[in-house]
Amino acid sequence: MLTNLKEQPKDKILGLMSMYREDPRPTKIDLGVGVYKNAEGVTPVMRAVKAAEARLVQQQTSKAYVGLAGDPAYGAAMTDLLLADSVARERLAAVATPGGTGAVRQAFELVRLANPDVRVFVSDPTWPNHVSILGYLGIPVVKYRYFDSETRAVDFDGMMEDLADVTSDDVVLLHGCCHNPTGANLNLTQWQAVIDLINEKGCLPMIDIAYQGFGDGLEEDAAATRLVASSVPELLIAASCSKNFGIYRERTGLLIAMGEKADTTAITQGNLNHLNRQNYSFPPDHGARVVTEILTDPELKADWMAELEDMRLGMLALRQQLADELQRLSGSDRFGFIAQHRGMFSQIGTTPDMVENLRAEHAIYMVSDSRMNVAGLNAQSVPVLARAIIEVGI
Ligand code: LMR
Protein backbone atom coordinates (compact mmCIF):
# COMPACT_ATOMS: atom_id res chain seq x y z
CA MET A 1 0.00 0.00 0.00
CA LEU A 2 2.72 2.44 0.89
CA THR A 3 4.00 2.19 -2.68
CA ASN A 4 0.92 4.21 -3.68
CA LEU A 5 2.28 7.26 -1.92
CA LYS A 6 3.26 10.22 -4.05
CA GLU A 7 5.91 12.78 -3.28
CA GLN A 8 4.50 15.77 -1.38
CA PRO A 9 5.19 19.33 -2.49
CA LYS A 10 8.23 20.82 -0.78
CA ASP A 11 7.59 23.45 1.88
CA LYS A 12 9.34 26.51 0.53
CA ILE A 13 10.34 27.80 3.96
CA LEU A 14 11.50 24.56 5.55
CA GLY A 15 13.34 23.43 2.39
CA LEU A 16 15.69 26.37 2.86
CA MET A 17 16.76 25.17 6.31
CA SER A 18 18.45 22.04 4.96
CA MET A 19 19.94 23.84 1.94
CA TYR A 20 21.48 26.41 4.26
CA ARG A 21 22.84 23.79 6.63
CA GLU A 22 24.55 21.97 3.76
CA ASP A 23 26.09 25.10 2.24
CA PRO A 24 29.84 24.99 3.04
CA ARG A 25 30.47 28.71 2.37
CA PRO A 26 31.60 30.37 5.63
CA THR A 27 30.09 33.73 4.62
CA LYS A 28 26.56 32.34 4.26
CA ILE A 29 23.69 34.38 5.68
CA ASP A 30 20.39 32.77 6.70
CA LEU A 31 17.37 35.04 6.22
CA GLY A 32 14.99 32.12 5.64
CA VAL A 33 12.92 30.46 8.34
CA GLY A 34 11.27 32.77 10.86
CA VAL A 35 13.43 32.11 13.87
CA TYR A 36 14.91 34.94 15.93
CA LYS A 37 18.70 35.08 16.12
CA ASN A 38 20.93 37.36 18.14
CA ALA A 39 23.98 39.19 16.76
CA GLU A 40 26.03 35.99 17.14
CA GLY A 41 23.56 34.05 15.01
CA VAL A 42 22.27 32.13 18.03
CA THR A 43 18.60 31.54 18.89
CA PRO A 44 18.94 31.96 22.64
CA VAL A 45 16.89 30.37 25.39
CA MET A 46 15.44 33.50 26.99
CA ARG A 47 16.54 34.20 30.57
CA ALA A 48 13.03 33.95 32.00
CA VAL A 49 12.47 30.67 30.17
CA LYS A 50 15.65 29.20 31.68
CA ALA A 51 14.57 30.34 35.14
CA ALA A 52 11.04 29.00 34.74
CA GLU A 53 12.36 25.67 33.49
CA ALA A 54 14.71 25.41 36.46
CA ARG A 55 11.75 25.96 38.79
CA LEU A 56 9.70 23.34 37.00
CA VAL A 57 12.49 20.79 37.33
CA GLN A 58 12.56 21.47 41.06
CA GLN A 59 8.86 21.73 41.71
CA GLN A 60 7.02 19.54 39.25
CA THR A 61 5.85 16.39 40.97
CA SER A 62 4.01 14.64 38.16
CA LYS A 63 3.92 14.27 34.42
CA ALA A 64 0.42 12.78 34.39
CA TYR A 65 -2.07 14.01 31.79
CA VAL A 66 -3.48 17.47 32.40
CA GLY A 67 -6.67 17.88 30.37
CA LEU A 68 -7.75 18.02 26.74
CA ALA A 69 -7.73 21.81 26.75
CA GLY A 70 -4.36 21.97 28.51
CA ASP A 71 -3.77 23.67 31.84
CA PRO A 72 -6.54 26.28 32.42
CA ALA A 73 -3.95 28.57 34.05
CA TYR A 74 -2.07 28.69 30.72
CA GLY A 75 -5.25 29.57 28.82
CA ALA A 76 -6.02 32.31 31.35
CA ALA A 77 -2.51 33.80 31.34
CA MET A 78 -2.29 33.84 27.56
CA THR A 79 -5.78 35.27 27.23
CA ASP A 80 -4.78 38.13 29.53
CA LEU A 81 -1.66 38.75 27.44
CA LEU A 82 -3.59 38.76 24.19
CA LEU A 83 -6.89 40.34 25.11
CA ALA A 84 -6.40 42.26 28.37
CA ASP A 85 -9.86 43.52 29.40
CA SER A 86 -11.31 43.78 25.88
CA VAL A 87 -13.81 40.94 26.26
CA ALA A 88 -15.71 39.08 28.99
CA ARG A 89 -14.05 35.75 29.76
CA GLU A 90 -17.39 33.87 29.84
CA ARG A 91 -17.59 34.30 26.08
CA LEU A 92 -14.27 32.55 25.49
CA ALA A 93 -13.48 28.89 24.90
CA ALA A 94 -9.80 28.00 24.54
CA VAL A 95 -7.47 25.06 24.03
CA ALA A 96 -3.74 24.70 24.21
CA THR A 97 -2.32 23.48 20.90
CA PRO A 98 0.99 22.24 19.57
CA GLY A 99 2.36 25.62 18.49
CA GLY A 100 0.61 28.36 16.56
CA THR A 101 0.35 25.98 13.61
CA GLY A 102 -1.67 23.60 15.76
CA ALA A 103 -4.00 26.45 16.67
CA VAL A 104 -4.42 27.40 13.02
CA ARG A 105 -5.14 23.81 12.07
CA GLN A 106 -7.70 23.35 14.87
CA ALA A 107 -9.37 26.65 13.98
CA PHE A 108 -9.84 25.55 10.39
CA GLU A 109 -11.20 22.19 11.55
CA LEU A 110 -13.58 23.96 13.94
CA VAL A 111 -15.06 26.18 11.25
CA ARG A 112 -15.44 23.21 8.94
CA LEU A 113 -17.43 21.47 11.68
CA ALA A 114 -19.58 24.58 12.03
CA ASN A 115 -20.03 25.04 8.30
CA PRO A 116 -18.94 22.32 5.82
CA ASP A 117 -19.24 24.90 3.01
CA VAL A 118 -16.97 27.45 4.64
CA ARG A 119 -14.49 29.39 2.50
CA VAL A 120 -11.49 31.08 4.05
CA PHE A 121 -10.36 34.45 2.73
CA VAL A 122 -6.59 34.87 3.09
CA SER A 123 -4.34 37.79 2.30
CA ASP A 124 -2.32 37.59 -0.90
CA PRO A 125 0.36 36.81 0.11
CA THR A 126 0.02 35.01 3.41
CA TRP A 127 2.06 32.47 5.36
CA PRO A 128 2.25 29.62 2.81
CA ASN A 129 1.22 27.04 5.39
CA HIS A 130 -2.18 28.71 5.78
CA VAL A 131 -2.96 27.89 2.18
CA SER A 132 -1.35 24.48 2.43
CA ILE A 133 -3.34 23.38 5.50
CA LEU A 134 -6.58 24.68 4.00
CA GLY A 135 -5.86 22.75 0.81
CA TYR A 136 -5.11 19.64 2.85
CA LEU A 137 -8.44 19.98 4.65
CA GLY A 138 -10.28 20.59 1.37
CA ILE A 139 -11.44 24.06 2.45
CA PRO A 140 -11.71 26.53 -0.45
CA VAL A 141 -9.31 29.47 -0.25
CA VAL A 142 -10.14 32.91 -1.59
CA LYS A 143 -7.28 35.38 -1.79
CA TYR A 144 -7.77 39.05 -1.12
CA ARG A 145 -5.31 41.67 -2.30
CA TYR A 146 -3.10 42.86 0.52
CA PHE A 147 0.27 44.10 -0.64
CA ASP A 148 1.11 46.83 -3.13
CA SER A 149 4.15 45.56 -4.98
CA GLU A 150 5.19 49.10 -5.95
CA THR A 151 4.99 50.88 -2.62
CA ARG A 152 5.53 47.69 -0.57
CA ALA A 153 2.79 48.88 1.77
CA VAL A 154 -0.71 47.53 2.35
CA ASP A 155 -2.99 47.81 -0.69
CA PHE A 156 -5.91 48.77 1.49
CA ASP A 157 -8.29 49.76 -1.31
CA GLY A 158 -7.64 46.46 -3.07
CA MET A 159 -8.12 44.57 0.16
CA MET A 160 -11.48 46.20 0.90
CA GLU A 161 -12.65 45.72 -2.67
CA ASP A 162 -11.90 42.01 -2.53
CA LEU A 163 -13.37 41.57 0.94
CA ALA A 164 -16.63 42.99 -0.39
CA ASP A 165 -17.24 39.46 -1.76
CA VAL A 166 -17.28 37.90 1.72
CA THR A 167 -20.53 36.32 2.88
CA SER A 168 -21.81 35.26 6.29
CA ASP A 169 -20.67 31.69 5.48
CA ASP A 170 -17.03 32.73 5.22
CA VAL A 171 -14.01 33.20 7.45
CA VAL A 172 -11.64 36.14 6.97
CA LEU A 173 -8.12 35.35 8.14
CA LEU A 174 -6.14 38.37 9.35
CA HIS A 175 -2.64 38.68 10.81
CA GLY A 176 -2.87 40.34 14.23
CA CYS A 177 0.49 42.10 13.81
CA CYS A 178 3.81 41.72 11.99
CA HIS A 179 2.28 40.38 8.77
CA ASN A 180 4.02 37.27 7.49
CA PRO A 181 5.53 37.43 4.87
CA THR A 182 5.28 41.12 3.93
CA GLY A 183 5.99 43.05 7.16
CA ALA A 184 3.31 45.59 6.10
CA ASN A 185 0.49 46.12 8.58
CA LEU A 186 -2.88 47.82 8.82
CA ASN A 187 -3.15 50.90 11.02
CA LEU A 188 -5.95 51.06 13.58
CA THR A 189 -8.16 53.21 11.35
CA GLN A 190 -7.89 50.56 8.66
CA TRP A 191 -8.62 47.83 11.21
CA GLN A 192 -11.78 49.70 12.18
CA ALA A 193 -12.89 49.75 8.54
CA VAL A 194 -12.26 45.98 8.30
CA ILE A 195 -14.28 45.48 11.49
CA ASP A 196 -17.16 47.49 10.02
CA LEU A 197 -17.07 45.32 6.91
CA ILE A 198 -16.98 42.12 9.00
CA ASN A 199 -20.00 43.27 10.98
CA GLU A 200 -21.85 44.32 7.84
CA LYS A 201 -21.21 40.95 6.15
CA GLY A 202 -21.68 38.80 9.24
CA CYS A 203 -18.62 36.67 8.48
CA LEU A 204 -16.33 35.11 11.08
CA PRO A 205 -12.95 36.82 11.55
CA MET A 206 -9.91 34.77 12.50
CA ILE A 207 -6.70 36.37 13.74
CA ASP A 208 -3.36 34.62 13.54
CA ILE A 209 -1.01 36.30 16.00
CA ALA A 210 2.45 34.75 16.13
CA TYR A 211 4.70 37.76 16.69
CA GLN A 212 3.23 39.76 19.59
CA GLY A 213 6.06 41.91 20.94
CA PHE A 214 8.14 41.83 17.75
CA GLY A 215 6.53 44.83 16.06
CA ASP A 216 5.70 47.98 18.03
CA GLY A 217 5.61 46.46 21.53
CA LEU A 218 3.63 43.85 23.48
CA GLU A 219 0.59 46.06 24.09
CA GLU A 220 0.71 47.84 20.75
CA ASP A 221 0.91 44.55 18.83
CA ALA A 222 -2.21 43.26 20.59
CA ALA A 223 -4.20 46.47 20.02
CA ALA A 224 -5.80 45.35 16.75
CA THR A 225 -6.76 41.93 18.16
CA ARG A 226 -8.32 43.62 21.18
CA LEU A 227 -10.18 46.11 19.01
CA VAL A 228 -11.63 43.30 16.90
CA ALA A 229 -12.52 41.25 20.00
CA SER A 230 -14.41 44.15 21.52
CA SER A 231 -16.26 45.00 18.28
CA VAL A 232 -17.46 41.74 16.69
CA PRO A 233 -19.82 39.01 17.88
CA GLU A 234 -17.59 36.03 17.12
CA LEU A 235 -13.85 35.62 16.68
CA LEU A 236 -11.15 32.97 16.46
CA ILE A 237 -7.61 33.72 17.62
CA ALA A 238 -4.66 31.43 16.88
CA ALA A 239 -1.70 32.48 19.02
CA SER A 240 1.87 31.24 19.12
CA CYS A 241 4.47 31.40 21.89
CA SER A 242 7.23 30.14 19.61
CA LYS A 243 8.74 33.50 18.77
CA ASN A 244 8.01 35.84 21.68
CA PHE A 245 9.06 33.24 24.26
CA GLY A 246 11.66 31.67 21.94
CA ILE A 247 10.30 28.19 22.64
CA TYR A 248 9.95 27.05 19.05
CA ARG A 249 10.51 23.36 19.60
CA GLU A 250 8.27 23.13 22.65
CA ARG A 251 5.23 23.62 20.39
CA THR A 252 3.22 26.05 22.47
CA GLY A 253 0.12 27.69 21.06
CA LEU A 254 -3.42 28.61 22.00
CA LEU A 255 -6.68 28.69 20.10
CA ILE A 256 -9.38 31.00 21.46
CA ALA A 257 -12.94 30.89 20.15
CA MET A 258 -15.07 33.85 21.19
CA GLY A 259 -18.85 33.50 20.96
CA GLU A 260 -21.48 36.21 20.94
CA LYS A 261 -22.97 35.14 24.27
CA ALA A 262 -21.75 33.09 27.20
CA ASP A 263 -24.41 30.43 26.68
CA THR A 264 -22.62 28.88 23.68
CA THR A 265 -19.21 28.70 25.33
CA ALA A 266 -19.63 25.20 26.77
CA ILE A 267 -20.57 23.69 23.40
CA THR A 268 -17.68 25.48 21.68
CA GLN A 269 -15.30 24.32 24.39
CA GLY A 270 -16.55 20.76 23.95
CA ASN A 271 -15.87 20.96 20.22
CA LEU A 272 -12.35 22.28 20.79
CA ASN A 273 -11.64 19.50 23.31
CA HIS A 274 -13.05 16.95 20.86
CA LEU A 275 -10.78 18.19 18.07
CA ASN A 276 -7.76 17.95 20.35
CA ARG A 277 -8.80 14.40 21.30
CA GLN A 278 -9.20 13.35 17.67
CA ASN A 279 -5.94 14.84 16.49
CA TYR A 280 -3.45 14.23 19.29
CA SER A 281 -5.36 13.91 22.55
CA PHE A 282 -3.58 16.06 25.09
CA PRO A 283 -1.66 19.13 23.93
CA PRO A 284 2.02 19.48 24.90
CA ASP A 285 2.42 20.86 28.41
CA HIS A 286 6.03 21.84 29.05
CA GLY A 287 6.14 25.05 27.02
CA ALA A 288 2.69 26.06 28.25
CA ARG A 289 3.78 25.60 31.85
CA VAL A 290 6.93 27.68 31.25
CA VAL A 291 4.82 30.46 29.75
CA THR A 292 2.38 30.34 32.66
CA GLU A 293 5.20 30.47 35.19
CA ILE A 294 6.61 33.55 33.45
CA LEU A 295 3.32 35.39 32.98
CA THR A 296 2.16 34.82 36.55
CA ASP A 297 5.39 35.77 38.30
CA PRO A 298 5.99 39.55 38.27
CA GLU A 299 9.78 39.25 38.36
CA LEU A 300 10.02 36.65 35.61
CA LYS A 301 7.49 38.56 33.55
CA ALA A 302 9.42 41.82 33.86
CA ASP A 303 12.64 40.10 32.81
CA TRP A 304 10.93 38.39 29.88
CA MET A 305 9.43 41.69 28.74
CA ALA A 306 12.81 43.42 28.99
CA GLU A 307 14.56 40.75 26.91
CA LEU A 308 11.74 40.72 24.36
CA GLU A 309 11.97 44.50 24.09
CA ASP A 310 15.74 44.26 23.46
CA MET A 311 15.07 41.75 20.69
CA ARG A 312 12.45 44.02 19.15
CA LEU A 313 14.65 47.10 19.28
CA GLY A 314 17.54 45.10 17.81
CA MET A 315 15.41 44.12 14.82
CA LEU A 316 14.25 47.72 14.37
CA ALA A 317 17.86 48.93 14.42
CA LEU A 318 18.80 46.36 11.76
CA ARG A 319 15.89 47.51 9.62
CA GLN A 320 17.03 51.11 9.87
CA GLN A 321 20.67 50.22 9.16
CA LEU A 322 19.69 48.23 6.07
CA ALA A 323 17.37 50.95 4.76
CA ASP A 324 20.12 53.56 5.29
CA GLU A 325 22.77 51.41 3.62
CA LEU A 326 20.54 50.74 0.62
CA GLN A 327 19.69 54.42 0.41
CA ARG A 328 23.42 55.21 0.28
CA LEU A 329 24.24 52.55 -2.32
CA SER A 330 21.23 53.08 -4.58
CA GLY A 331 21.00 56.85 -4.18
CA SER A 332 17.24 56.45 -3.88
CA ASP A 333 14.59 56.04 -1.20
CA ARG A 334 13.04 53.00 -2.80
CA PHE A 335 14.10 50.74 0.07
CA GLY A 336 12.70 53.01 2.77
CA PHE A 337 9.87 50.53 3.32
CA ILE A 338 12.29 48.21 5.12
CA ALA A 339 12.39 50.65 8.05
CA GLN A 340 8.61 51.07 7.95
CA HIS A 341 7.77 47.36 8.03
CA ARG A 342 7.35 45.66 11.39
CA GLY A 343 8.14 42.26 12.81
CA MET A 344 10.63 39.70 11.68
CA PHE A 345 9.94 39.87 7.97
CA SER A 346 10.04 42.17 4.99
CA GLN A 347 9.19 41.11 1.50
CA ILE A 348 11.71 43.09 -0.47
CA GLY A 349 10.04 42.56 -3.81
CA THR A 350 12.05 40.71 -6.35
CA THR A 351 11.76 37.70 -8.61
CA PRO A 352 12.52 34.10 -7.58
CA ASP A 353 15.44 34.26 -10.08
CA MET A 354 17.04 37.14 -8.24
CA VAL A 355 16.47 35.40 -4.90
CA GLU A 356 18.22 32.40 -6.44
CA ASN A 357 21.09 34.67 -7.57
CA LEU A 358 21.46 35.94 -4.02
CA ARG A 359 21.77 32.34 -2.83
CA ALA A 360 24.04 31.09 -5.65
CA GLU A 361 26.38 34.07 -5.89
CA HIS A 362 26.27 35.56 -2.40
CA ALA A 363 25.27 32.65 -0.13
CA ILE A 364 22.31 34.72 1.08
CA TYR A 365 19.21 32.67 1.78
CA MET A 366 15.71 34.10 1.69
CA VAL A 367 12.32 32.63 0.78
CA SER A 368 11.66 32.54 -2.99
CA ASP A 369 8.86 35.13 -2.61
CA SER A 370 11.67 37.50 -1.46
CA ARG A 371 10.73 37.36 2.22
CA MET A 372 13.75 38.01 4.40
CA ASN A 373 14.03 37.39 8.11
CA VAL A 374 15.53 40.61 9.47
CA ALA A 375 16.59 38.82 12.66
CA GLY A 376 19.00 36.73 10.59
CA LEU A 377 21.14 39.86 10.10
CA ASN A 378 23.69 41.59 12.31
CA ALA A 379 25.54 44.90 12.03
CA GLN A 380 28.31 43.24 9.98
CA SER A 381 26.09 41.34 7.55
CA VAL A 382 23.77 44.28 6.77
CA PRO A 383 26.31 45.99 4.42
CA VAL A 384 27.04 42.61 2.78
CA LEU A 385 23.34 42.09 2.10
CA ALA A 386 22.89 45.66 0.88
CA ARG A 387 25.74 45.31 -1.61
CA ALA A 388 24.41 41.97 -2.82
CA ILE A 389 20.90 43.40 -3.31
CA ILE A 390 22.30 46.17 -5.47
CA GLU A 391 24.65 43.83 -7.35
CA VAL A 392 21.94 41.37 -8.38
CA GLY A 393 19.94 44.36 -9.60
CA ILE A 394 16.97 44.38 -7.23
C1 LMR B 1 8.03 31.07 9.28
O1 LMR B 1 7.09 31.66 8.73
O2 LMR B 1 9.18 31.03 8.81
C2 LMR B 1 7.79 30.42 10.61
O3 LMR B 1 6.49 30.63 11.02
C3 LMR B 1 8.20 29.00 10.63
C4 LMR B 1 7.28 28.12 9.86
O4 LMR B 1 6.78 27.16 10.47
O5 LMR B 1 7.05 28.36 8.68
Side-chain angles (χ1 to χ4, degrees):
M1 190 193 288
L2 296 180
T3 52
N4 294 333
L5 291 173
K6 308 230 168 19
E7 203 175 331
Q8 294 293 336
K10 294 238 176 326
D11 183 291
K12 67 178 175 190
I13 298 175
L14 301 188
L16 280 177
M17 286 169 80
S18 45
M19 270 174 94
Y20 177 80
R21 226 178 277 132
E22 282 154 26
D23 190 331
R25 291 173 288 182
T27 54
K28 62 187 177 180
I29 300 175
D30 179 13
L31 309 179
V33 68
V35 170
Y36 172 83
K37 291 187 196 141
N38 64 19
E40 287 75 48
V42 173
T43 304
V45 180
M46 294 178 82
R47 295 184 300 264
V49 169
K50 270 267 179 237
E53 287 187 313
R55 279 189 202 174
L56 283 183
V57 167
Q58 288 304 316
Q59 293 165 11
Q60 194 166 46
T61 52
S62 176
K63 294 278 189 188
Y65 293 132
V66 177
L68 283 177
D71 181 4
Y74 166 68
M78 278 297 290
T79 301
D80 288 346
L81 184 71
L82 289 157
L83 290 173
D85 58 2
S86 59
V87 57
R89 296 302 184 257
E90 306 81 68
R91 289 173 60 199
L92 305 181
V95 275
T97 55
T101 308
V104 166
R105 167 69 188 256
Q106 299 298 67
F108 292 156
E109 293 218 34
L110 186 76
V111 295
R112 195 178 52 172
L113 279 180
N115 175 15
D117 297 323
V118 69
R119 302 181 299 173
V120 177
F121 280 63
V122 302
S123 61
D124 183 14
T126 190
W127 183 49
N129 215 20
H130 285 149
V131 179
S132 177
I133 296 173
L134 286 165
Y136 182 70
L137 293 173
I139 298 175
V141 174
V142 186
K143 293 188 174 171
Y144 60 85
R145 274 171 286 169
Y146 184 78
F147 196 47
D148 183 326
S149 51
E150 284 302 309
T151 60
R152 312 218 70 74
V154 175
D155 173 7
F156 190 63
D157 291 344
M159 175 176 177
M160 293 304 275
E161 248 177 70
D162 290 349
L163 287 181
D165 293 338
V166 165
T167 74
S168 59
D169 281 337
D170 298 323
V171 167
V172 175
L173 177 54
L174 301 153
H175 297 224
C177 63
C178 307
H179 185 268
N180 180 6
T182 65
N185 298 288
L186 302 179
N187 61 37
L188 284 177
T189 312
Q190 292 169 328
W191 274 101
Q192 187 56 57
V194 172
I195 289 168
D196 293 344
L197 181 135
I198 287 168
N199 283 333
E200 182 199 320
K201 300 284 176 185
C203 62
L204 173 62
M206 168 174 164
I207 295 181
D208 185 354
I209 179 159
Y211 297 89
Q212 188 185 351
F214 272 34
D216 290 310
L218 261 184
E219 295 300 309
E220 292 82 348
D221 291 349
T225 303
R226 292 172 188 171
L227 183 64
V228 177
S230 63
S231 317
V232 298
E234 295 185 337
L235 172 65
L236 297 176
I237 303 170
S240 171
C241 300
S242 297
K243 332 277 165 161
N244 52 7
F245 288 86
I247 50 173
Y248 304 83
R249 65 176 69 163
E250 301 300 348
R251 311 312 297 137
T252 310
L254 186 77
L255 172 59
I256 298 175
M258 182 186 92
E260 184 164 12
K261 298 210 176 70
D263 56 8
T264 57
T265 303
I267 295 272
T268 307
Q269 185 67 56
N271 276 265
L272 291 175
N273 292 1
H274 173 74
L275 283 173
N276 267 8
R277 181 62 171 158
Q278 302 320 303
N279 282 323
Y280 39 76
S281 239
F282 300 92
D285 179 71
H286 179 74
R289 214 156 276 273
V290 166
V291 166
T292 311
E293 191 74 27
I294 293 171
L295 292 179
T296 55
D297 179 304
E299 243 174 74
L300 284 187
K301 185 173 179 187
D303 191 42
W304 167 69
M305 286 171 63
E307 191 170 358
L308 180 61
E309 184 64 0
D310 284 347
M311 289 158 68
R312 186 181 79 83
L313 294 176
M315 286 184 280
L316 276 184
L318 289 166
R319 285 186 176 281
Q320 192 61 56
Q321 189 192 350
L322 181 59
D324 290 349
E325 192 67 16
L326 283 165
Q327 207 271 345
R328 198 177 63 77
L329 292 177
S330 70
S332 87
D333 288 331
R334 68 196 164 92
F335 293 102
F337 64 85
I338 292 173
Q340 306 306 318
H341 286 170
R342 284 294 179 272
M344 236 182 198
F345 307 119
S346 270
Q347 205 178 49
I348 60 170
T350 184
T351 61
D353 283 352
M354 282 184 181
V355 171
E356 176 51 24
N357 279 356
L358 283 174
R359 190 195 65 77
E361 289 165 27
H362 300 274
I364 294 171
Y365 285 72
M366 59 178 75
V367 184
S368 55
D369 63 8
S370 80
R371 184 193 84 171
M372 66 168 180
N373 172 11
V374 176
L377 291 165
N378 61 28
Q380 289 71 44
S381 59
V382 164
V384 178
L385 171 65
R387 269 197 308 277
I389 286 176
I390 299 298
E391 253 178 67
V392 301
I394 295 171

